Structure formats: C-alpha cells, structure tokens
Amino acid sequence: MPVQKVSAYEGIVEQIEAAIDSGELKPGDRLPGERRLMEDFSVSRATVREALRVLQATGLVESRPGDPRGPVISAFTPRLLEKSLGQLSRQATSRAELLQFRLFLEGTASYLAAQHHTDEQMARIDDNLQRMRDCVDSGDLTTYPKLVRAFHDTIREAAANSLIAVCGSVVSDTMTDLMGGRIASDRDPKTLLKRSVADGTKLVKIIRARDAQAARQASVESIYRFYEADLTPAERTAVSAVI
C-alpha cells in the first residue's frame, strides 16, 4: 500500500487533534503562540497559521486577533457536532445512507416523543401539521419541505434527547433539498403531498395516544413511502431493510 504524504500543516493538525482526543489538551487549555509552535514543529509561520486556520474552521480551537497567549482549546458544544455531521451528510454519504439514517433517527424520535411529550409540545406538533395541510390545500408545493422539517423538529423536541435533536437538525438540512427534488420529479406531486399529510396525521394520533412502538413504525413507513417510487432497485433494497 502506498504511503500517503502528509503536508506539514496537516501533521500539526493531526498531532493537536490526537492530544485533544487523549485528554492531554483539555477545553480551556491554550496552545503556545505562533513563534513557539514554529520552533516546536520546525516549520514556517505560514504553515503554523494554516494549521490554526484548519483547527479554527473545525471548531477545535478559538483565537482572538492580536492575542499573544495563543489559541484556546474549545469546549465541546452541540454546534461542533452539528457542523461535522453537516459536512458528512452533504459530501460523504449516498442517498440510500441518508434515508437509512433518517429512518433510524425519526423512528426513534417518534418512539420517544410518544413516551415523553407534553401538552404544549403536542400543540406545536399539531400546529405544524396544520401548516402542512394548509400548504397542500393552497397548492404551494415549494414551501412544503420546510414545513415538514418544522414538523419533525417539534417531534424531536418532544423526544427530549439533545443528540437526536442535533443529528436531526443536520439531516433535515440535506433532506429538505432531497424532498424538494422528489416533489419536483413526481408526475402528480399534489397527490404525493396529500398522502404525506395523511401519514403525518396518522403519526400524530399515535404519538398522542402514547403508543411508542406504533409511532416508530408509522414514522419509518411514511418516510420510506414518500421516497420509494424515486429510488433505484439497489436503493430500495438498502432502505427497505431498515423497515
């Protein structure tokens, strides 16, 4: 196997990432200033700055212009996870993988929402479902994907799991675009969306009844049904396996 050459700045990034992963560097710790990093790694100022730029772009370190004390190791935040997952979902996953993950995610969210929802959360879910219904009745097909996103956002909120909320928000960004393409490609998009609203209505009734297992199944089946006709045979096999 050929050895992949790593540039100088990538080597710095990898070493700092490894120190964070091992706990050698903790949130709030400071990296040395540019001059010290140049000496420690035997590289130019430009190389150090490129490494710091990458670390800042990924959210691992924070720095202020003109601060001579060096960048600070960032505390973990849901936003950091959201950023990384967003890049992965947009660049490194197939449509089938996205749909598989969406089925797992929304199915679990619906399962938990059926167990944990409050009356206030249920009212917000109802409101978003009604907006979906009104959108279809008005014929405004372009707005529908954003309303579906809001609908699932409120279900994930009722699930009371912050990781599900973050992951769902990331996938929703990508799935909103995918849904728009699905609607545009359908020969009878209004019928497609009417069926989607009907599925949403069924899901809301099940969540309200606190039937967690049925809520999971209804969520998974409705999402799969929405995309099924647009999938290739290989994608259909991969995604249906999750059901």
Side-chain angles (χ1 to χ4, degrees), residues 44-116:
S44 67
R45 186 180 300 274
T47 298
V48 167
R49 288 183 173 176
E50 179 62 15
L52 293 177
R53 184 195 66 78
V54 172
L55 290 167
Q56 290 173 27
T58 55
L60 292 177
V61 304
E62 301 173 0
S63 64
R64 296 178 180 176
D67 188 344
R69 296 175 296 172
V72 179
I73 304 300
S74 302
F76 175 80
T77 64
R79 177 59 186 160
L80 180 57
L81 175 62
E82 187 175 343
K83 187 173 183 179
S84 299
L85 283 174
Q87 292 173 338
L88 179 64
S89 67
R90 289 190 298 271
Q91 301 173 10
T93 55
S94 67
R95 181 168 67 168
E97 288 173 323
L98 279 170
L99 285 170
Q100 285 177 332
F101 185 63
R102 179 78 184 274
L103 294 179
F104 278 121
L105 186 70
E106 305 299 2
T108 302
S110 296
Y111 178 91
L112 293 174
Q115 294 179 315
H116 302 303

Side-chain angles (χ1 to χ4, degrees), residues 25 30-37 40 48 52 68-71:
L25 288 173
R30 285 189 178 273
L31 294 178
E34 286 185 1
R35 186 177 297 277
R36 175 66 182 277
L37 289 172
D40 289 349
V48 167
L52 293 177
R69 296 175 296 172

